[in-house]
Amino acid sequence: MYQDKEGPYSKIAGTGGYLPEKILTNADIEKIVETSDEWIVERTGIKQRHIAGENESTCDMAEHAARQALEMAQCKPEDIDLIILATTTPDRIYPSTACLLQERLGCIGAPAFDVQAVCSGFVYALTTADKFIKTGAAKRALVVGAETYSRILDWEDRGTCVLFGDGAGAVVLEASDEPGIFATQLHADGRYNDILTVGGQVNQGEIIGSGFTAMNGGEVFKFAVTHLSKVVKEVLADNNMQADEIDWFIPHQANMRIITATAKKLHFPMEKVVTTVSEHGNTSAASVPLALNIAVRDGRIQRGQTLLLEAIGGGFTWGAVLLKF
Ligand code: ACO
């Protein structure tokens, strides 16, 4: 069991999620690029993904997910004293999508900022919010992961466009005398910035370089499996815990092969692993909170259970969070 550590802790009081209405199946993608349902399912486990409507923004999706999380937490927007939003696809270069969300919700005055750690964004944001709460700097945080990832995909590149989808997930994290989050680990290795990137930059009103996702799939795969199992072992060791003490493993939903390879390395039976990748694709920063929300709302995850969240993404960045729900 987790070691006794000094409180205060931060605890998840509510979860929320949102997926856009439009679904793009593998059969639909077969009409866009030269690929097949068989290839996509065999290599990634993905069968479909949701795609944001033309006028739907990251902030729109974040708002839906946030309102659901607030409702479950029985908390009013004005009770929120911190907003952290993880995204790779903000509505604007600035201000942050967190500030745009704040205006919509009306929790004016609370600090609000975005976190950019690509697919690890939610784990980074949750860890940051946990530290604010532990130090007494915040009492109730709204933590969101939201992406319109489809907008930074080259729909002529079959190597990447089949992998991603859009959506948002959110949690309300609040101060508590009992755990809550009891261990977090974050890492980055900027030497790997080129294996997954959108390399362009805005200069004088134009995008210089590419505005599309470029990926070395093989390198990403190897990096992910090695570093995810390592970081999970780290958080477990920090707390003298064994994998069999975890009730639910909620990994980043990049690819079914990465999830099963990591679970196997860690000896997690697949019955304890929450997977949504077949229905959502990789929703980047939204993937972990979306999966969490789904398993909470369908009754798999119960109060008092121990959860292990992990993610890895561009940067490269990766991390894990161990918590009692
Ligand atoms: N449909 C059909 N064929 C395809 C497709 C496609 N969508 N994409 C690539 N191919 C072809 C390639 O062109 C190549 O053909 P060739 O042999 O004639 O050159 C062949 O399939 C094999 O390509 P590989 O890249 O070797 O295929 P691999 O088995 O490595 O699978 C994949 C590719 C699925 C991208 C894999 O490398 C992977 O899962 N990588 C991890 C990527 C990932 O999850 N990224 C998400 C973002 S990062 C993150 O969230 C952690």
Side-chain angles (χ1 to χ4, degrees):
M1 206 45 244
Y2 61 88
Q3 289 174 323
D4 255 353
K5 287 181 183 168
E6 287 282 300
Y9 292 96
S10 71
K11 200 170 172 106
I12 293 179
T15 66
Y18 175 79
L19 289 159
E21 210 177 298
K22 184 178 169 189
I23 290 174
L24 199 67
T25 63
N26 290 349
D28 295 327
I29 293 200
E30 282 174 10
K31 294 177 197 139
I32 305 172
V33 286
E34 201 185 321
T35 189
S36 65
D37 174 56
E38 196 190 355
W39 192 96
I40 301 171
V41 171
E42 193 188 305
R43 307 288 173 115
T44 72
I46 298 167
K47 294 181 186 149
Q48 61 168 53
R49 67 290 288 145
H50 293 249
I51 303 290
E54 215 171 298
N55 297 314
E56 201 165 33
S57 73
T58 294
C59 190
D60 293 334
M61 296 193 293
E63 184 184 354
H64 286 295
R67 289 195 188 279
Q68 265 195 7
L70 288 167
E71 198 186 336
M72 189 189 282
Q74 297 183 320
C75 150
K76 294 195 269 325
E78 51 271 32
D79 300 330
I80 294 295
D81 56 8
L82 172 67
I83 301 176
I84 309 182
L85 189 146
T87 189
T88 313
T89 47
D91 284 18
R92 305 185 195 173
I93 290 175
Y94 73 84
S96 69
T97 308
C99 284
L100 304 181
L101 178 64
Q102 183 191 49
E103 187 203 12
R104 306 257 191 113
L105 297 175
C107 28
I108 304 303
F113 57 92
D114 285 2
V115 161
Q116 164 55 299
V118 202
C119 302
S120 312
F122 181 77
V123 166
Y124 264 64
L126 191 64
T127 300
T128 309
D130 174 56
K131 309 258 183 242
F132 267 80
I133 290 176
K134 280 208 169 94
T135 58
K139 286 221 158 358
R140 209 169 274 123
L142 177 63
V143 186
V144 186
E147 300 280 13
T148 41
Y149 205 95
S150 60
R151 301 206 175 126
I152 51 169
L153 289 173
D154 176 355
W155 288 93
E156 290 181 4
D157 175 14
R158 66 179 183 173
T160 53
C161 75
V162 302
L163 300 174
F164 296 89
D166 300 334
V171 302
V172 171
L173 197 67
E174 63 184 24
S176 158
D177 292 336
E178 302 163 359
I181 292 178
F182 50 88
T184 59
Q185 281 279 348
L186 295 181
H187 294 287
D189 187 341
R191 290 173 300 177
Y192 292 85
N193 66 80
D194 268 344
I195 63 171
L196 181 61
T197 184
V198 177
Q201 56 177 273
V202 174
N203 189 336
Q204 297 296 302
E206 281 177 34
I207 297 179
I208 310 296
S210 170
F212 295 124
T213 297
M215 181 181 74
N216 180 332
E219 287 299 314
V220 168
F221 192 98
K222 275 188 277 175
F223 195 96
V225 176
T226 309
H227 290 81
L228 285 174
S229 48
K230 215 166 137 194
V231 77
V232 167
K233 284 179 186 161
E234 277 170 20
V235 277
L236 289 173
D238 280 357
N239 290 275
N240 286 330
M241 283 181 73
Q242 305 298 323
D244 62 8
E245 292 176 76
I246 303 299
D247 294 300
W248 291 103
F249 179 45
I250 304 155
H252 170 46
Q253 308 289 318
N255 178 315
M256 202 59 202
R257 278 161 67 216
I258 295 179
I259 294 174
T260 47
T262 309
K264 196 170 163 204
K265 266 190 145 184
L266 295 163
H267 308 292
F268 280 125
M270 282 310 283
E271 307 84 73
K272 285 185 169 189
V273 184
V274 178
T275 63
T276 53
V277 67
S278 66
E279 312 300 308
H280 301 177
N282 179 353
T283 57
S284 186
S287 111
V288 170
L290 262 172
L292 171 69
N293 180 56
I294 280 178
V296 166
R297 286 179 187 265
D298 70 18
R300 271 178 289 172
I301 293 178
Q302 298 287 321
R303 283 284 168 201
Q305 288 188 323
T306 303
L307 315 184
L308 182 59
L309 279 46
E310 52 85 324
I312 189 157
F316 249 68
T317 55
W318 64 103
V321 177
L322 195 53
L323 63 94
K324 206 171 247 304
F325 184 68

